[in-house]
Amino acid sequence: MSDTDIAVIKEQGELNAFCDALSQSDVIFVDTEFHRESTYWPTLCLIQAAGDGVEGIIDPMVDGLDLAPFLKLMGDESIGKVFHAARQDMEIFYRLMGTPPSPIFDTQIAAMALGLGDSISYENLVSGLAGQQIDKSSQFTDWTRRPLSQKQLKYALGDVTHLRTVYDRMAEKLDAKNRWSWIEEENQALAAPSLYDTDPENAWNRMKIRRPKKDYLAVLKNVAIWRERLAQDLNRPRSRILKDDAIQEISDQRPRTAEALERLRSVPKGFAKSRHGAGLLDTINYALDNVDEVAPQVEKPKHRSASPAGASDLLRVLLKQVCDDENVTPRLVANAADLERIASGDGDSTAVMSGWRYDLFGRQAEDLLHGRLAITFNQGKVELFDTSQASKA
């Protein structure tokens, strides 16, 4: 396709015909260009999509263009949707549809199951699997501006034309290694509506709970709700209203006056006397005056026995060795918190101790902790030693 061949879909009839053509595909490949550096809500600028023998770019910024035909495809459970690093694209479609697209395939997740790295870039994925080089000179385009050049449009469309090749190569490798089940849970998790919830009343759930005290919890919840509402109303990133560290300090110190609020190190200087300062103080004082009503019910942290010295470090060595041997990215198998739980005897509560993760790593982790497996080093290389076989010998 030459540069001059790329046209942007701006008319309803064109969009309807494009979606009819896409609907004939079992799998469609999707990407978006958006702007949100200075806003709470992302501004959707382009939608790129490709299917069997069809590809195109939709301009959602055209007044009066109804995206319903495309959104219907995104919600069609009989059609797979392939993304790279889908999280932000899913958030955009969730807002447009009221539900996340499903089913999906995220090439970044699949890359972990194939040992291609953690959070691999699209550029490296295309280079490694499709043998194509991406011209990144249009990467930092302001996609809100019109008109867009043919060079910019070619770059945008490449995000789905190359994605098709990447998916085909990945499918072959997943088939050969029998690892489709390894990515199913992760892909399904990306389609969970709770991941994209923007209801201010639930904003406190994103905050780290540092202490179980009711007055702390009441302030934390109320201030998180206040910040989320204000960020949405002003269409500004929540961190530009108040950072998480500031909410934590406010919840710890519980200032009731502008003077006390002004003394907090993490609260921006002058915020207490700004146009939003009074609202924040009202929010704090209401929480403190109605602690029993406002404070959320949270589960007390489970008491875990201290893990044996070095146990989690040994598990980390084992995880790396197992993943190196099987050519899979460790983060897909277990994270640091999982290893700490396993080391302290609370491993049954982790995903590591069931399914393919148990077969790959969990069983050996148990053997290591119970002395049935040992880790040795030979000429700078890690070796695993079955102690049960040694005792029989």
Side-chain angles (χ1 to χ4, degrees):
M1 178 180 287
S2 66
D3 288 351
T4 56
D5 288 330
I6 301 176
V8 179
I9 297 169
K10 300 179 180 180
E11 301 290 338
Q12 195 65 47
E14 294 175 343
L15 177 59
N16 294 344
F18 179 59
C19 291
D20 285 343
L22 281 175
S23 69
Q24 304 306 308
S25 304
D26 292 332
V27 177
I28 59 177
F29 306 88
V30 186
D31 187 50
T32 64
E33 307 297 345
F34 57 89
H35 178 82
R36 76 175 311 172
E37 284 79 6
S38 59
T39 62
Y40 179 95
W41 305 108
T43 300
L44 180 59
C45 304
L46 291 179
I47 300 173
Q48 306 96 276
D52 295 337
V54 59
E55 57 193 31
I57 299 176
I58 304 167
D59 187 350
M61 298 183 71
V62 173
D63 288 341
L65 188 65
D66 185 359
L67 297 177
F70 187 78
L71 299 180
K72 182 179 179 182
L73 290 177
M74 297 302 288
D76 189 334
E77 294 281 344
S78 69
I79 299 176
K81 274 72 68 173
V82 179
F83 298 87
H84 177 75
R87 176 67 175 80
Q88 294 190 83
D89 299 309
M90 295 286 283
E91 181 182 353
I92 288 171
F93 286 115
Y94 177 81
R95 189 173 181 225
L96 291 171
M97 300 164 58
T99 185
S102 179
I104 70 161
F105 179 101
D106 188 332
T107 55
Q108 202 168 67
I109 291 173
M112 291 194 289
L114 297 173
L116 299 176
D118 185 357
S119 302
I120 187 172
S121 70
Y122 182 68
E123 178 191 20
N124 289 338
L125 201 56
V126 170
S127 175
L129 294 182
Q132 300 290 325
Q133 299 300 316
I134 296 176
D135 179 0
K136 297 182 67 176
S137 60
S138 297
Q139 182 179 18
F140 299 107
T141 292
D142 179 356
W143 298 105
T144 63
R145 300 186 67 178
R146 297 295 185 270
L148 294 168
S149 70
Q150 284 295 314
K151 183 178 181 181
Q152 290 168 329
L153 294 175
K154 181 179 180 181
Y155 170 83
L157 191 59
D159 285 346
V160 290
T161 55
H162 295 312
L163 194 58
R164 179 161 39 193
T165 305
V166 166
Y167 172 76
D168 289 341
R169 300 287 187 275
M170 285 186 152
E172 293 172 2
K173 291 177 180 292
L174 289 168
D175 282 335
K177 294 177 178 289
N178 194 28
R179 290 185 179 178
W180 282 95
S181 63
W182 290 26
I183 63 173
E184 183 177 358
E185 179 184 336
E186 302 294 324
N187 283 327
Q188 287 179 347
L190 272 175
S194 59
L195 194 60
Y196 310 101
D197 180 24
T198 56
D199 184 347
E201 293 295 324
N202 299 325
W204 66 273
N205 287 309
R206 285 191 295 270
M207 303 295 298
K208 184 176 182 179
I209 306 298
R210 294 181 176 173
R211 63 191 77 252
K213 291 181 61 177
K214 274 192 172 184
D215 50 359
Y216 162 87
L217 289 168
V219 174
L220 183 81
K221 176 182 175 181
N222 245 25
V223 174
I225 291 172
W226 171 85
R227 180 182 68 171
E228 199 76 8
R229 284 179 178 154
L230 187 58
Q232 292 180 7
D233 290 345
L234 299 177
N235 195 21
R236 291 175 59 189
R238 62 176 69 92
S239 62
R240 295 198 184 181
I241 303 296
L242 210 59
K243 294 186 183 298
D244 285 359
D245 286 348
I247 295 181
Q248 290 288 355
E249 188 178 8
I250 288 169
S251 304
D252 281 329
Q253 300 299 321
R254 299 178 288 284
R256 281 187 173 270
T257 65
E259 291 73 23
L261 182 61
E262 189 70 21
R263 286 195 295 269
L264 301 186
R265 294 181 61 184
S266 57
V267 175
K269 187 173 180 60
F271 189 91
K273 297 180 180 178
S274 71
R275 61 190 177 117
H276 302 304
L280 174 56
L281 283 168
D282 287 345
T283 297
I284 297 168
N285 282 305
Y286 183 88
L288 292 173
D289 291 338
N290 301 273
V291 167
D292 289 336
E293 172 192 335
V294 176
Q297 296 291 325
V298 297
E299 290 187 13
K300 292 183 179 179
K302 291 182 179 179
H303 175 72
R304 295 190 179 93
S305 302
S307 59
S312 60
D313 292 329
L314 284 174
L315 288 173
R316 193 171 293 108
V317 173
L318 175 64
L319 177 64
K320 185 179 186 307
Q321 184 62 36
V322 167
C323 291
D324 284 349
D325 289 344
E326 295 297 330
N327 200 23
V328 58
T329 302
R331 187 168 71 87
L332 186 65
V333 181
N335 57 34
D338 293 331
L339 298 183
E340 287 291 343
R341 287 184 175 184
I342 296 169
S344 65
D346 191 27
D348 289 344
S349 63
T350 71
V352 179
M353 291 304 176
S354 63
W356 67 266
R357 289 180 175 87
Y358 181 74
D359 294 335
L360 180 73
F361 171 69
R363 183 180 288 109
Q364 293 190 73
E366 288 181 331
D367 288 344
L368 179 65
L369 293 177
H370 289 90
R372 296 186 293 268
L373 182 71
I375 294 176
T376 63
F377 298 89
N378 183 13
Q379 297 182 346
K381 293 183 178 181
V382 174
E383 292 184 354
L384 304 182
F385 183 69
D386 187 341
T387 58
S388 63
Q389 294 299 319
S391 61
K392 292 178 181 178

